Amino acid sequence: MKTLYLIALFLLAPWASAQVVVLQTPSGTVINDSVSFNGEIYNGDWYLPNGPAIGAVYLQHGFTRGGGNYRDLGVALMNQGMLVLSINAPMSGGAGDLAVRVADVLASNPPSPPDGRPFPTSLVLSGHSAGGLHVSLIAERMVQTGNAANLHGLVLLDPVNAFGPFGRAMDVLAPTAIPVRAITANGSLCNTFNDTQGALRNLPRQYVGIKLTDRSTHVDSEGNNSDLLAQIACGFPAERNIVALRDFAVAWAKDMLDGGYSADFYPGGARLNALLNAEQARLLKDASGAWSTILQESFGGSSYSEKRYTITVPELAVGQVEITTRGGSGNADLYVRRDDGVSVWKYDCRDTGPGNNETCQLYGPGTYQIMVRGKLFGYSEVTLKARYFEY
């Protein structure tokens, strides 16, 4: 009996694991294999693109999760030419000791992919939840040991600190040129109520990412690879948030590795502006830029009169378009519609509060139709102003 137990123990031990092809796609292969970091053996998934990789992404799961919970995200990264390594390891507290080992190995003697190719030189670190803290500690270690020359950026997926050293890691990264991007969800117990956002906002970076705001959950990064228990605890991901998180994360990682700039996913870009216009996201911090005023006029109107204006916001890296009425007497309502006619029934934004201090905020270039409509007793000396923010 003891002999059978020892045989079973050997066969089940991590160092005895054999390569297993998990998935094959037109763009690459996913292989499960053991991975060593300074003598410690972990089970991991390798996402191997068919052609030469543009770089590597170290993708770390969150607390009590596993690499398989990020299968779709890993494949999406591989589809864009990135080699991805995702290991299974305990992530409590960000696994600081493991972070040190991973940082040192990736910098000096990275593990060999199972297809025999060399591990790519260029590296992006990405992690979800406690895995976000983990990869931040890897980056901190690389910077402190002078081994961050090939670290091209961090992509953090609703990172969680939970009284850990996330702020310390961000302080170490702050004076470097290493880009840090994050996608966060609405605050909840699962993400310890956005306890990393303060440190992210304090980074001296123009753009640190977005917060998904319309029914976002802590497990959006897992998407269709999540499980019922996690969804009961943290919420059921909406498909639009799964897609948005995946598309932004992949675009950012690819840009970090190949030096490109996918404009849609940065301030002023069409994809980001669409999320902002739909009130499905907001910037984690305001990016720098300048306001340009394109309309300012004072006027009055009688009961239920309608005064109309058309403005054109140029095709630039434009973020917010703000249209306001201020001052005067009486009561006027504000209606705005982008790229189509505006009326009391058709609008993208309206403000019908008492008085004349009305505001509409939309995003992106285009033609905006504006209507100011008087209430029962009309209005006078109201100032209409339209301006846009250019990054």
Side-chain angles (χ1 to χ4, degrees):
M1 185 71 179
K2 183 177 180 181
T3 301
L4 291 174
Y5 172 77
L6 291 173
I7 292 172
L9 183 63
F10 176 81
L11 292 174
L12 293 173
W15 57 81
S17 64
Q19 294 179 13
V20 176
V21 175
V22 177
L23 181 69
Q24 285 187 310
T25 76
S27 62
T29 304
V30 182
I31 295 178
N32 182 267
D33 196 9
S34 58
V35 184
S36 175
F37 287 98
N38 279 352
E40 295 286 339
I41 308 297
Y42 299 90
N43 176 267
D45 288 332
W46 292 89
Y47 296 77
L48 306 167
N50 286 336
I54 63 170
V57 177
Y58 178 87
L59 175 63
Q60 188 56 59
H61 64 72
F63 179 64
T64 74
R65 314 308 290 149
N69 294 120
Y70 307 86
R71 183 75 69 222
D72 290 349
L73 177 58
V75 169
L77 291 162
M78 179 180 72
N79 287 345
Q80 294 299 314
M82 289 168 265
L83 183 149
V84 182
L85 172 59
S86 176
I87 69 168
N88 293 299
M91 277 296 115
S92 178
D97 291 342
L98 174 59
V100 170
R101 290 198 298 275
V102 171
D104 293 347
V105 168
L106 290 178
S108 60
N109 186 26
S112 298
D115 62 354
R117 76 177 79 190
F119 194 90
T121 303
S122 302
L123 176 68
V124 163
L125 301 172
S126 182
H128 169 232
S129 192
L133 171 58
H134 176 71
V135 299
S136 299
L137 297 177
I138 294 173
E140 176 189 40
R141 171 74 173 180
M142 287 181 161
V143 171
Q144 290 176 329
T145 56
N147 290 319
N150 295 323
L151 177 56
H152 288 228
L154 283 75
V155 177
L156 306 178
L157 311 172
D158 207 22
V160 169
N161 188 31
F163 306 105
F166 184 82
R168 184 194 73 199
M170 292 299 105
D171 287 343
V172 170
L173 290 170
T176 74
I178 299 168
V180 179
R181 306 268 186 267
I183 306 174
T184 68
N186 291 325
S188 69
L189 187 61
C190 288
N191 64 11
T192 53
F193 299 98
N194 297 135
D195 64 351
T196 59
Q197 288 192 171
L200 289 167
R201 291 184 181 125
N202 287 336
L203 283 170
R205 310 285 196 274
Q206 180 181 11
Y207 178 50
V208 295
I210 61 174
K211 178 176 182 175
L212 298 175
T213 56
D214 187 5
R215 289 175 284 178
S216 58
T217 75
H218 184 54
V219 291
D220 288 342
S221 60
E222 298 182 9
N224 297 319
N225 305 128
S226 191
D227 55 61
L228 183 60
L229 184 60
Q231 292 172 346
I232 291 173
C234 301
F236 292 82
E239 184 65 20
R240 66 173 175 277
N241 290 328
I242 296 171
V243 172
L245 182 145
R246 182 180 64 231
D247 290 353
F248 274 76
V250 170
W252 292 341
K254 184 175 184 295
D255 287 349
M256 291 171 182
L257 289 170
D258 69 9
Y261 184 76
S262 303
D264 280 354
F265 300 93
Y266 298 89
R271 187 70 183 278
L272 178 54
N273 282 338
L275 288 178
L276 298 173
N277 274 321
E279 298 183 348
Q280 294 173 2
R282 61 180 174 81
L283 297 175
L284 284 178
K285 65 182 289 186
D286 291 333
S288 60
W291 287 100
S292 295
T293 299
I294 53 175
L295 171 65
Q296 184 165 331
E297 184 173 332
S298 297
F299 52 85
S302 59
S303 174
Y304 303 117
S305 63
E306 297 177 352
K307 196 162 184 66
R308 297 171 180 272
Y309 294 85
T310 300
I311 61 170
T312 299
V313 178
E315 293 286 340
L316 302 171
V318 170
Q320 188 178 108
V321 178
E322 182 185 73
I323 300 158
T324 62
T325 58
R326 295 289 187 269
S329 58
N331 189 0
D333 293 337
L334 178 63
Y335 297 80
V336 180
R337 195 175 187 196
R338 181 181 171 187
D339 296 332
D340 210 344
V342 64
S343 72
V344 293
W345 300 282
K346 296 179 180 180
Y347 51 84
D348 293 322
C349 173
R350 71 171 181 177
D351 192 341
T352 59
N356 297 320
N357 290 333
E358 321 284 15
T359 300
C360 273
Q361 294 176 337
L362 295 167
Y363 292 83
T367 300
Y368 290 79
Q369 305 288 337
I370 304 167
M371 181 177 75
V372 179
R373 187 172 189 264
K375 281 291 188 66
L376 180 59
F377 299 107
Y379 62 97
S380 62
E381 296 303 317
V382 170
T383 298
L384 172 67
K385 183 177 181 179
R387 60 178 187 164
Y388 63 88
F389 192 83
E390 182 181 352
Y391 296 104

